[in-house]
Amino acid sequence: MHALIDGVLTGSVYALMATGLTLIFGVMEIINVAQGILVILGAYFSYTLSTHFGIDLFLGLLITIPAMFVVGVVIERVFVARLKGPEKTAMSILVTYAIALVIEGSLNQIYSVNYQQLSAWYVNKSFELFGVYFPYIYVYGFLLAVGLLSALYVMLYRTRFGASIRASLADQAAAALVGIDVKRVSTICFGLGVAITGAGGMIYGATNTFNASSGADLISRLLTIIVLGGMGSLGGALVAGILMVTVEDIVGVVWSPIWSTMSFFIVLVVVLSLRPQGLFGKLSSRVA
Amino acid sequence: MAESTTFVTFSGVFAGYGGGDVLKDVTFEVPKGGVTTIVGPNGSGKSTLLKTVSGLVRPRLGTITFKEHNLVGMSPREILRLGVVQVPQNHSLFREMSVEENVELGAFLVKDKKVIKSRLDGVKAMFPIVAERAKDKAGSLSGGQQRLVEFARCLMLEPELVVLDEPSMGLDPKTLRSMFATVKLMNQAGRTVLLVEQNARQALKLSDYGVVLENGHVRLMGSGHEVLNHPEIGTLYLGGAISDDVAPPAASTTESEDPS
């Protein structure tokens, strides 16, 4: 039971981080391999704000999220927007991998390779409910993820800009023919994807020790989640994020933590064997 | 025939896709207020010509003038703002979005919500399917219904020029007739229509003007009636010259324009 609750709470944060990745892929057909290191960059932003400026981790997000949005917009404008043609998706892996290496190297230089963890009063304290102990940070992280994902949902389904994003997700040429500025939508989506990832980075940094190399482990998990959920499917990222982490936690408790990491990928192999398009993906003629 | 004031002028247009010119020195005028149909064999450059109007293909040489604006070099968005809307050959509705959302997106460039609402009401009156299936996903509609919703969507900008690229593609004969009737209706509502059609005979019957493209050149232009009855063109592209009310002998029909 505890593992199940833990899985849902942690999984929602993974879902938040993976949503950024799948949004970027859905609109732009770009696989942003740098998403893992961008989570860590978000964590380091929070680390700097809390240790050097004494700003609360959640309050600090008011700075981190816009800052990460700007980072995303700059990466998109300078590097990603130049990718065109049929090789675009494949090239995006190489380009964003190079970006990831540069960010990782810079973070190592600035913060050293020592592991860090974000601290605040709610990071180490728990409360008890029905005999189960809930660490505050997991609950707050869950609420943050739910809040941000709900805001994203409202933006996508209740606003004109959201409609233009969904139209661009579906068919870029048709979107351009009704007057949607697909380039602008792409830039903003990349910024949004990186921004919400940065928010996830704060929770990740508060619940795990991290250094710049942690991004590599994260990106494999995030890619697994969006492939399982269906590439480009926002709902899929949410369900798959929670499912994967819950399965991992339950396997860790019931069998052994040694098997828990592997269970992540076993779930992927089993689901893809039955549904190659992922849980909520659609088979399409899109060629990567 | 509609009043013959020039609306769009193609002047010495050369355009292609990088592998040589598809359009070679195309020059003709689209008069205001009528339906102008471009016909010609496959590969003659009909669709490319329409793409130059909507900004999807940029001509290498020449000018396309619409109400004193040269459209060459403008983005599709800028051209939309001038009141030129294209309905492409392939279905272009967003399948996962509702019919109403699709139609509303037609007015994406309009900011005033009241204006959008009143246009939506107008479009619903003209196309009952938009009201009847408002909340259904566009992907659940039949091909003909999707085409009507695309027409409805393009009218949300209240365009002055509607550019239709083979709207009959994939439609059954019954739907085809209602589609052509709708084109005429849009025209009667004040839109100038520029149309490319493989169903050349049916399209020319409802057209005020006809243009025959052949191998990237304008081979002939005139009234719809003249093009339809031109003996040489009729033999080449329309399955034999005929008058408006006499069907061509089936054996001489080389392009099967009229599946009915």
Side-chain angles (χ1 to χ4, degrees):
Chain A
M1 183 63 189
H2 187 262
L4 182 68
I5 294 168
D6 203 44
V8 172
L9 295 180
T10 318
S12 66
V13 178
Y14 273 90
L16 183 66
M17 298 188 282
T19 298
L21 189 59
T22 209
L23 183 68
I24 290 168
F25 176 79
V27 175
M28 307 169 66
E29 297 179 26
I30 292 292
I31 297 175
N32 181 21
V33 180
Q35 200 79 357
I37 193 65
L38 288 168
V39 172
I40 301 303
L41 180 64
Y44 273 120
F45 265 132
S46 297
Y47 174 78
T48 303
L49 289 172
S50 74
T51 53
H52 294 279
F53 299 96
I55 299 172
D56 175 76
L57 294 179
F58 282 90
L59 210 56
L61 288 180
L62 294 177
I63 299 169
T64 304
I65 292 177
M68 293 296 286
F69 179 81
V70 172
V71 169
V73 166
V74 170
I75 292 175
E76 200 277 336
R77 283 286 89 202
V78 177
F79 301 103
V80 178
R82 293 165 197 271
L83 301 174
K84 291 186 174 74
E87 304 293 322
K88 177 175 147 179
T89 307
M91 285 303 294
S92 75
I93 297 175
L94 287 177
V95 170
T96 56
Y97 182 59
I99 294 168
L101 289 179
V102 170
I103 297 175
E104 185 179 333
S106 308
L107 290 176
N108 271 331
Q109 203 64 34
I110 298 167
Y111 295 98
S112 87
V113 294
N114 294 334
Y115 278 91
Q116 307 289 351
Q117 185 165 9
L118 302 178
S119 59
W121 69 265
Y122 39 76
V123 169
N124 300 317
K125 284 209 164 76
S126 304
F127 64 93
E128 189 193 344
L129 194 66
F130 306 118
V132 180
Y133 281 93
F134 292 93
Y136 280 102
I137 185 63
Y138 282 88
V139 177
Y140 288 175
F142 173 75
L143 294 175
L144 175 75
V146 169
L148 285 177
L149 288 173
S150 305
L152 185 68
Y153 183 88
V154 169
M155 191 270 284
L156 283 174
Y157 288 91
R158 297 280 180 272
T159 68
R160 274 164 69 83
F161 180 68
S164 73
I165 292 181
R166 286 185 293 131
S168 306
L169 267 164
D171 186 339
Q172 292 198 1
L177 275 179
V178 295
I180 293 169
D181 187 343
V182 178
K183 273 188 190 170
R184 182 168 160 268
V185 168
S186 298
T187 305
I188 294 175
C189 275
F190 204 96
L192 280 177
V194 172
I196 57 175
T197 294
M202 187 278 277
I203 305 295
Y204 181 83
T207 50
N208 299 273
T209 56
F210 64 93
N211 68 3
S213 309
S214 310
D217 173 48
L218 263 172
I219 189 61
S220 64
R221 284 164 169 260
L222 297 183
L223 284 172
T224 307
I225 288 169
I226 70 162
V227 170
L228 183 79
M231 298 288 280
S233 163
L234 299 171
L238 180 67
V239 172
I242 292 173
L243 176 75
M244 291 298 238
V245 180
T246 306
V247 168
E248 192 181 35
D249 278 2
I250 291 175
V251 169
V253 170
V254 176
W255 284 285
S256 148
I258 298 169
W259 285 98
S260 66
T261 312
M262 189 181 253
S263 68
F264 210 85
F265 299 100
I266 292 173
V267 172
L268 178 72
V269 170
V270 170
V271 171
L272 291 191
S273 307
L274 301 171
R275 270 185 76 82
Q277 68 271 44
L279 293 173
F280 295 91
K282 290 188 175 57
L283 288 174
S284 74
S285 56
R286 172 183 277 162
V287 177
Chain B
M1 194 185 293
E3 186 193 340
S4 149
T5 316
T6 302
F7 203 40
V8 186
T9 307
F10 294 84
S11 181
V13 173
F14 287 79
Y17 301 92
D21 291 325
V22 178
L23 302 177
K24 298 153 192 162
D25 196 14
V26 170
T27 299
F28 72 95
E29 292 173 350
V30 176
K32 185 172 183 175
V35 176
T36 299
T37 295
I38 302 166
V39 298
N42 284 333
S44 60
K46 304 186 296 291
S47 289
T48 307
L49 186 71
L50 293 196
K51 285 178 183 165
T52 62
V53 181
S54 55
L56 292 176
V57 168
R58 184 176 181 159
R60 184 172 67 79
L61 281 172
T63 57
I64 302 167
T65 315
F66 170 72
K67 288 168 57 187
E68 298 171 2
H69 298 275
N70 183 7
L71 303 183
V72 174
M74 285 191 183
S75 70
R77 195 174 152 89
E78 289 168 325
I79 292 170
L80 269 177
R81 278 192 199 286
L82 291 178
V84 179
V85 174
Q86 182 177 359
V87 176
Q89 195 176 100
N90 300 321
H91 286 299
S92 62
L93 293 183
F94 305 108
R95 298 174 60 83
E96 293 298 313
M97 297 170 84
S98 73
V99 167
E100 190 166 275
E101 275 186 304
N102 265 285
V103 175
E104 279 178 347
L105 270 175
F108 186 74
L109 294 176
V110 180
K111 299 296 170 209
D112 189 332
K113 284 185 179 171
K114 279 185 190 159
V115 172
I116 297 173
K117 173 78 176 60
S118 90
R119 287 188 189 174
L120 188 62
D121 290 342
V123 159
K124 279 177 177 171
M126 191 170 173
F127 297 92
I129 181 112
V130 175
E132 288 158 15
R133 305 287 298 270
K135 301 297 170 202
D136 293 350
K137 282 188 178 176
S140 69
L141 269 52
S142 71
Q145 289 171 330
Q146 287 191 34
R147 194 55 97 194
L148 292 180
V149 175
E150 284 181 291
F151 286 176
R153 182 172 71 182
C154 88
L155 293 184
M156 286 293 285
L157 264 190
E158 298 202 332
E160 292 186 63
L161 176 66
V162 175
V163 179
L164 303 174
D165 193 356
E166 300 210 17
S168 72
M169 183 170 273
L171 302 186
D172 62 77
K174 189 177 161 218
T175 318
L176 196 74
R177 279 192 290 275
S178 97
M179 188 278 297
F180 277 125
T182 311
V183 171
K184 197 67 196 169
L185 206 63
M186 288 201 286
N187 175 237
Q188 283 160 354
R191 321 283 167 217
T192 301
V193 178
L194 180 60
L195 176 70
V196 154
E197 251 314 312
Q198 283 287 346
N199 279 286
R201 188 180 305 281
Q202 280 199 339
L204 284 169
K205 276 183 194 170
L206 68 84
S207 298
D208 301 293
Y209 311 97
V211 176
V212 180
L213 266 191
E214 189 182 72
N215 200 20
H217 298 280
V218 174
R219 167 82 184 269
L220 177 77
M221 50 191 155
S223 70
H225 188 78
E226 283 166 355
V227 173
L228 195 60
N229 289 288
H230 191 281
E232 199 182 339
I233 298 301
T235 311
L236 281 172
Y237 305 127
L238 306 175
I242 54 150
S243 65
D244 279 2
D245 49 3
V246 180
S252 66
T253 304
T254 52
E255 284 202 348
S256 80
E257 297 77 25
D258 187 350
S260 61

